[in-house]
Amino acid sequence: MKANRRIVIILLAVVFLPALFFSVYEIGSLNQNEVIIDDIYNKQLEVILSSVNSHSQDWASSWAMKMNGYFAYPQTDLGASLLQFVEDNPSVKGVFYTRDTSYQNLEIISLPEASSISSSVHHRTIEMVLRQNSKKINKLYLYLKGGYRKIEAFSSDRTPDISYFVFVADSYRGHKILCGMIVDAKEFVNFVLSPKIQALVENQFIITVQNDTKGQIIYASETSDLKRISQTKPLWLLPDYKMGIIYKSKTIKELVKERTTLNFIIIFLLDTLLVAGVWLVLRNFKAEIKLSQMRVDFISNVSHELRTPLALMSLHIETILLGRVKGEKLNEYYKVIHQETNRLTTIVNKILNFSKLEEKKFEYHFQKMCINEVIQEVLEQYYFYLQNTNFETEINLSAEKALIYGDKEALKEVFINLIDNATKYSKDQKYLHIETEIEKDLIKVTIQDKGIGIPESDQKYIFDKFFRVTNGEMQGVRGSGLGLSIVKNILDNHDAVIYLNSKPGQGTTFNLEFPGYAIQLLKKRKIRKHA
Ligand SMILES: Nc1ncnc2c1ncn2[C@@H]1O[C@H](COP(=O)(O)OP(=O)(O)OP(=O)(O)O)[C@@H](O)[C@H]1O
Ligand SMILES: [Mg+2]
């Protein structure tokens, strides 16, 4: 028991507690992980959206560079070049420029049929837009002084779907010219941004572009469930629009939840495995400890069983040798010595049989035999004992021969042990009932006593080697705990089964079932044939 407790404590300290702490810590940090993972997913989306913005910026810059070239090199026909530029870029509906810082004298170059909005509308609108954003525009001059040609994008309620890209160009005389492009937002998205977006989504995401105020989606890399948009970002160059992004298969929340659930399941499975492992180890240890305890008891029991007859014999022999015992008494002394020799032989034989059976070295000599005859032979051995100890016996053997295919000596051992137990473990009610019956192909044997019985909790162990019940009733009854394990082993080799039915204080019944001779023979033949 002490060793058991020690093992439990060691297992708890070394395996269970650290695992428990780890699990609690992991479960605790799952929430935290959820936030981190959520953050990672969001950052990933943000990077993708940013790269769309950079792409549009690069594109607009390259346009600005081109336009700047027309202003910087006057040998080209400015109007024609700008018109060509507009023609070459379908999303650019026109360009404008002014040398005047009050935004008067605005020149607009556009293809007449290209826009639904007339050039006069653009004229007024652009003037107004420039005036409204004069502060930002002034900064564009400053940026250019610093060597950076920044592009600002403006929009106006009057011209929906149009974005005005404004920048400052250098003219060949060193003058600065305020320039701009009239860009159709939808076409810019479809012609300029779409290839980049398609390259970015890689079958994993859906990117959308929608009108910021109306919420109307003007572009989607794929048309599917667009309601789940989890991240949006303004489009730098299209002030009225914003981009949206979603994971194609699941939302971030679903992805994070899935990961968390998976982690939770893994922790749970690991813990279950661990508990099962600890439980198995404990169970094995318990069984081992029980067995080793039983071995210790066995040695002490057997030594006692050997020492008692030896001591008795030596006492009687010494007395005879002293010449003190004569006549009738001498015979009695010889009888005791003979009895004790038999007892010793029985014990030694039992141990030898047990070890042979354990090592599978026991040699069986199977033959056709009547089980009733074996029982009768054993009962003859017990006849005097049963009579002297006032045992009420009820023997009911089948009228017909109970034929089986068995080893006579081994089966004798079985019945000796069962009868020995019935007599050994009976106190006030000395009763022995043996019955055999033939039922179809089965030979049934019942051995019943009205002795002390076996406690319910011990019943599953009584066929285990070395096992002995250790309650008060058993006090003074000696034994090695080998009898029933020998019985079980021999019966197994006869394909027979044994059932126990016992109630403490009321008695014990053992029911044995042997396959009849005919069926057993058939089986053995089949086995031989297959071999
Ligand atoms: N008929 C019975 N009535 C009550 N208890 C029994 C009976 N038969 C067996 N037992 C219990 O089962 C235990 C195991 O029996 P088993 O015959 O294997 O060992 P044993 O009788 O103690 O020793 P031995 O090796 O000398 O037979 C016994 O110690 C006893 O507690
Ligand atoms: Mg016994």
Side-chain angles (χ1 to χ4, degrees):
M1 242 339 173
K2 264 186 188 167
N4 253 347
R5 204 173 299 155
R6 213 171 34 229
I7 289 158
V8 172
I9 292 169
I10 290 171
L11 278 175
L12 273 179
V14 176
V15 185
F16 208 66
L17 283 181
L20 195 76
F21 276 128
F22 174 72
S23 303
V24 171
Y25 172 77
E26 275 296 301
I27 290 169
S29 60
L30 274 185
N31 232 345
Q32 215 176 324
N33 288 349
E34 216 170 300
V35 177
I36 294 169
I37 295 166
D38 194 87
D39 206 40
I40 290 171
Y41 282 129
N42 278 324
K43 287 226 166 76
Q44 190 183 4
L45 297 187
E46 218 175 283
V47 168
I48 291 169
L49 293 183
S50 297
S51 71
V52 176
N53 262 332
S54 304
H55 178 76
S56 63
Q57 190 79 39
D58 290 349
W59 205 268
S61 292
S62 77
W63 282 344
M65 283 278 284
K66 216 171 221 171
M67 277 181 70
N68 186 59
Y70 303 141
F71 290 104
Y73 303 103
Q75 52 270 50
T76 53
D77 177 348
L78 184 63
S81 303
L82 289 175
L83 197 64
Q84 187 60 47
F85 171 75
V86 173
E87 251 174 14
D88 291 346
N89 297 292
S91 48
V92 180
K93 298 297 164 199
V95 291
F96 58 87
Y97 64 92
T98 173
R99 293 188 167 83
D100 190 347
T101 44
S102 61
Y103 316 130
Q104 308 270 314
N105 305 320
L106 200 64
E107 284 288 343
I108 297 182
I109 290 114
S110 65
L111 297 172
E113 76 285 8
S115 173
S116 56
I117 305 156
S118 71
S119 133
S120 65
V121 172
H122 274 310
H123 219 279
R124 268 176 278 129
T125 314
I126 294 168
E127 248 184 62
M128 204 176 76
V129 164
L130 295 179
R131 238 174 256 127
Q132 274 169 353
N133 295 290
S134 59
K135 270 191 189 155
K136 280 186 182 167
I137 291 168
N138 288 343
K139 276 193 185 154
L140 292 180
Y141 291 99
L142 288 176
Y143 285 130
L144 192 65
K145 262 190 191 161
Y148 167 45
R149 177 166 291 109
K150 189 173 165 27
I151 299 170
E152 282 286 3
F154 306 119
S155 66
S156 165
D157 295 343
R158 288 198 196 176
T159 50
D161 304 336
I162 294 288
S163 189
Y164 302 99
F165 297 180
V166 178
F167 65 97
V168 181
D170 313 282
S171 85
Y172 67 101
R173 282 192 198 120
H175 286 129
K176 303 290 177 220
I177 303 162
L178 188 65
C179 296
M181 294 164 240
I182 304 164
V183 179
D184 184 306
K186 268 188 201 166
E187 289 182 22
F188 183 73
V189 172
N190 279 307
F191 295 126
V192 179
L193 298 188
S194 165
K196 176 72 181 174
I197 291 175
Q198 289 297 346
L200 281 170
V201 292
E202 269 181 358
N203 229 7
Q204 265 195 65
F205 317 97
I206 299 173
I207 293 182
T208 62
V209 178
Q210 67 186 88
N211 193 299
D212 207 5
T213 44
K214 291 186 237 159
Q216 184 200 5
I217 292 173
I218 60 157
Y219 171 84
S221 61
E222 203 173 291
T223 43
S224 72
D225 186 11
L226 302 176
K227 280 187 192 124
R228 296 180 292 118
I229 294 172
S230 55
Q231 272 251 14
T232 56
K233 210 174 167 72
L235 263 164
W236 297 339
L237 291 177
L238 305 177
D240 288 342
Y241 296 87
K242 63 180 180 187
M243 280 182 287
I245 190 164
I246 34 179
Y247 274 96
K248 215 167 152 184
S249 49
K250 281 161 190 138
T251 62
I252 293 185
K253 279 244 148 19
E254 280 166 347
L255 282 168
V256 173
K257 210 171 160 199
E258 207 170 72
R259 272 188 80 111
T260 311
T261 316
L262 189 74
N263 282 345
F264 198 79
I265 290 172
I266 290 171
I267 292 173
F268 178 76
L269 280 179
L270 280 178
D271 279 356
T272 316
L273 270 177
L274 199 85
V275 170
V278 168
W279 180 77
L280 267 177
V281 171
L282 265 181
R283 213 178 70 152
N284 280 349
F285 266 119
K286 252 176 147 178
E288 276 302 312
I289 285 165
K290 195 168 178 192
L291 193 67
S292 72
Q293 184 57 48
M294 286 197 300
R295 266 198 196 114
V296 172
D297 292 348
F298 164 78
I299 290 165
S300 102
N301 285 337
V302 168
S303 354
H304 185 89
E305 291 269 289
L306 294 176
R307 220 181 302 128
T308 316
L310 279 175
L312 263 175
M313 280 176 358
S314 110
L315 185 83
H316 283 72
I317 292 167
E318 268 172 32
T319 321
I320 293 169
L321 284 176
L322 283 173
R324 285 193 199 145
V325 199
K326 291 199 172 79
E328 257 311 290
K329 207 81 181 158
L330 194 62
N331 256 350
E332 256 178 52
Y333 269 57
Y334 283 136
K335 231 188 201 167
V336 172
I337 293 167
H338 179 65
Q339 257 175 19
E340 295 306 311
T341 328
N342 280 345
R343 218 170 117 183
L344 262 184
T345 316
T346 315
I347 299 164
V348 173
N349 275 344
K350 188 176 266 186
I351 296 168
L352 283 178
N353 276 341
F354 169 76
S355 72
K356 272 192 207 160
L357 284 167
E358 274 279 284
E359 289 170 30
K360 304 220 178 326
K361 282 184 184 158
F362 192 91
E363 274 187 35
Y364 286 96
H365 301 285
F366 284 98
Q367 61 186 41
K368 180 181 183 179
M369 49 171 281
C370 173
I371 219 159
N372 291 342
E373 283 169 19
V374 183
I375 294 172
Q376 256 154 353
E377 270 182 44
V378 175
L379 277 173
E380 269 164 32
Q381 280 182 32
Y382 274 89
Y383 180 76
F384 285 109
Y385 176 80
L386 292 171
Q387 263 203 339
N388 287 344
T389 46
N390 291 328
F391 251 88
E392 182 193 340
T393 50
E394 222 175 51
I395 313 296
N396 228 334
L397 303 182
S398 67
E400 217 180 304
K401 276 196 166 194
L403 290 175
I404 65 156
Y405 188 72
D407 179 317
K408 205 168 174 184
E409 286 312 308
L411 288 175
K412 256 185 176 176
E413 195 70 32
V414 167
F415 294 114
I416 287 173
N417 269 301
L418 292 174
I419 295 170
D420 184 54
N421 281 352
T423 56
K424 211 158 67 166
Y425 302 115
S426 289
K427 282 188 164 173
D428 312 325
Q429 276 258 60
K430 294 183 187 302
Y431 171 84
L432 173 68
H433 170 74
I434 301 181
E435 191 179 310
T436 59
E437 50 179 329
I438 305 165
E439 208 182 278
K440 285 186 186 163
D441 296 324
L442 285 182
I443 310 291
K444 292 185 168 181
V445 184
T446 309
I447 295 167
Q448 185 190 4
D449 65 59
K450 292 182 179 168
I452 57 174
I454 302 164
E456 174 98 44
S457 55
D458 288 329
Q459 291 185 8
K460 56 177 178 287
Y461 301 119
I462 62 153
F463 295 104
D464 292 353
K465 56 191 172 192
F466 311 130
F467 180 80
R468 304 201 72 225
V469 175
T470 48
N471 63 8
E473 292 279 355
M474 287 281 292
Q475 260 171 17
V477 188
R478 310 295 310 183
S480 57
L482 295 182
L484 285 182
S485 83
I486 292 175
V487 167
K488 180 79 173 56
N489 205 319
I490 294 172
L491 289 179
D492 283 348
N493 278 291
H494 282 77
D495 294 334
V497 282
I498 181 165
Y499 301 109
L500 164 72
N501 193 345
S502 183
K503 276 212 171 92
Q506 291 184 22
T508 303
T509 306
F510 284 103
N511 295 101
L512 283 63
E513 282 178 14
F514 292 85
Y517 175 71
I519 199 162
Q520 191 77 342
L521 196 69
L522 207 75
K523 215 165 138 192
K524 299 252 170 207
R525 272 195 196 137
K526 264 190 194 160
I527 293 170
R528 238 175 277 149
K529 235 186 192 174
H530 282 294

